[in-house]
Amino acid sequence: MKIPNRIQPLVDDGLIDDVVRRLKSGKEADVYTVLCGEEIRCAKVYKEATQRSFKQAVQYQEGRKVRNTRNARAMQKGSKFGRKQQEESWQTAEVDALFRLANAGVRVPQPYICLDGVLLMELITDADGVVAPRLSDVILSEEEAVADFETMIRNIVRMLCAGIVHGDLSEFNVLMDADGPVIIDLPQAVDAAANNHAETMFERDVNNMTEYYGQFAPKLLETRYAKEIWALYEDGKLTPESPLTGLFAEDTHKADVDSLLDEIIAAEDEYYDRQRAMKERDLDH
């Protein structure tokens, strides 16, 4: 096929020999299979901000560090240069997250290089060497769903231990290879400790997975891994090997505001009654 303009520089530099075909067009990128020597890899071409349909980018970028202070100031001002830096920050976030997660033992595609808005990485294939299907396209038995869900939860735990929350995890950005689920699409990954929305995003990620696998294994719908895992993380007790039960008891002790107000009013009334009684005694004397 005709080589896309954005991929041409990588061809010129000898990083890619040819483009085989376009795999998909997503909300933030187009993905192609490419030939690199004798290997078939994957090239993810990020769309410009004006073309992306992914919403709430600012919410996802909260807490991301920019090493160059000049770049950080430009990004805050929203200048043309700043917007360019913002785009580069958005694009390199995925490759940074992929390297961190791969090192942490999370099942993600192996990244190779990110250059001029093109991420070159491992192509995930199934047992037959064909491009792996998305989880959303796979039918599972109850036993398979339970096993894959446990694998997914363990990978999510490893991600959180590495300080990362996916932020947009669902059956549409998980691939199924011969060994089970592989997590993809991480440009919106957030810093678990630095992003104020991290807990909400984490719960949504886990609940999305629970609901999907729960279609095949309804008993999974009764689990509460999101709350359990985050509580361990907040307490500094979460490790990749932390035993999990899927159970979590909410703290049902809540302040009874009405009763508290009644007590305050009663105390005030008692105070004024005493003051009034003291004045009356003074007048009698």
Side-chain angles (χ1 to χ4, degrees):
M1 66 170 287
K2 185 174 184 247
I3 297 174
N5 292 336
R6 298 281 297 282
I7 294 181
Q8 187 63 53
L10 281 78
V11 174
D12 296 340
D13 290 342
L15 297 171
I16 293 175
D17 293 309
D18 199 7
V19 177
V20 180
R21 69 184 180 95
R22 184 162 76 170
L23 273 180
K24 71 166 187 173
S25 180
K27 55 192 174 185
E28 84 273 346
D30 291 327
V31 181
Y32 299 84
T33 51
V34 297
L35 191 61
C36 302
E38 296 182 355
E39 284 188 37
I40 295 180
R41 293 179 177 174
C42 178
K44 184 171 186 175
V45 182
Y46 293 100
K47 294 180 177 178
E48 300 292 340
T50 54
Q51 297 177 301
R52 284 201 308 260
S53 60
F54 193 84
K55 307 300 182 183
Q56 300 175 310
V58 173
Q59 177 177 317
Y60 287 85
Q61 290 170 347
E62 178 184 302
R64 289 185 181 174
K65 295 182 176 66
V66 179
R67 294 183 181 87
N68 187 299
T69 54
R70 174 173 173 261
N71 292 353
R73 288 196 299 270
M75 288 164 66
Q76 289 175 347
K77 291 179 180 178
S79 64
K80 183 177 179 180
F81 174 75
R83 290 194 297 272
K84 181 176 181 293
Q85 295 304 310
Q86 193 82 60
E87 280 302 294
E88 289 183 6
S89 173
W90 177 264
Q91 293 162 6
T92 57
E94 180 162 31
V95 71
D96 290 344
L98 285 171
F99 274 115
R100 283 174 63 183
L101 295 179
N103 290 336
V106 181
R107 299 204 73 222
V108 295
Q110 177 63 46
Y112 299 115
I113 191 172
C114 187
L115 183 66
D116 295 330
V118 179
L119 171 59
L120 189 61
M121 58 185 170
E122 173 190 9
L123 178 67
I124 304 299
T125 58
D126 64 13
D128 299 320
V130 178
V131 175
R134 290 189 300 183
L135 178 59
S136 59
D137 297 325
V138 174
I139 302 298
L140 302 169
S141 67
E142 182 174 357
E143 184 179 0
E144 289 171 334
V146 171
D148 283 353
F149 178 69
E150 290 176 355
T151 299
M152 178 60 68
I153 288 297
R154 195 49 60 184
N155 274 282
I156 289 172
V157 168
R158 290 193 188 100
M159 287 179 69
L160 189 55
C161 288
I164 293 176
V165 173
H166 187 287
D168 191 34
L169 189 59
S170 75
E171 65 271 24
F172 299 105
N173 42 38
V174 174
L175 299 179
M176 291 293 290
D177 72 2
D179 298 317
V182 179
I183 297 170
I184 63 170
D185 292 341
L186 288 138
Q188 72 294 315
V190 302
D191 186 314
N195 191 302
N196 290 322
H197 307 283
E199 181 179 1
T200 300
M201 293 178 188
F202 178 80
E203 288 194 18
R204 185 177 63 210
D205 285 352
V206 176
N207 292 339
N208 282 345
M209 291 291 91
T210 303
E211 289 173 14
Y212 182 78
Y213 285 109
Q215 296 177 92
F216 307 103
K219 64 182 180 182
L220 296 177
L221 298 174
E222 299 173 10
T223 61
R224 305 196 66 193
Y225 283 106
K227 295 284 188 184
E228 180 186 16
I229 294 168
W230 192 264
L232 288 171
Y233 170 72
E234 279 197 323
D235 289 342
K237 298 177 181 177
L238 187 68
T239 71
E241 293 77 33
S242 290
L244 301 172
T245 63
L247 305 174
F248 184 78
E250 294 275 9
D251 182 4
T252 57
H253 178 70
K254 296 181 179 179
D256 188 337
V257 178
D258 290 338
S259 295
L260 184 60
L261 287 174
D262 288 342
E263 289 181 15
I264 292 173
I265 292 171
E268 287 181 343
D269 288 344
E270 184 179 346
Y271 170 78
Y272 288 120
D273 285 344
R274 284 200 305 271
Q275 291 295 315
R276 190 164 47 250
M278 290 173 62
K279 287 182 180 179
E280 289 176 353
R281 282 201 302 272
D282 290 341
L283 289 173
D284 290 339
H285 292 293

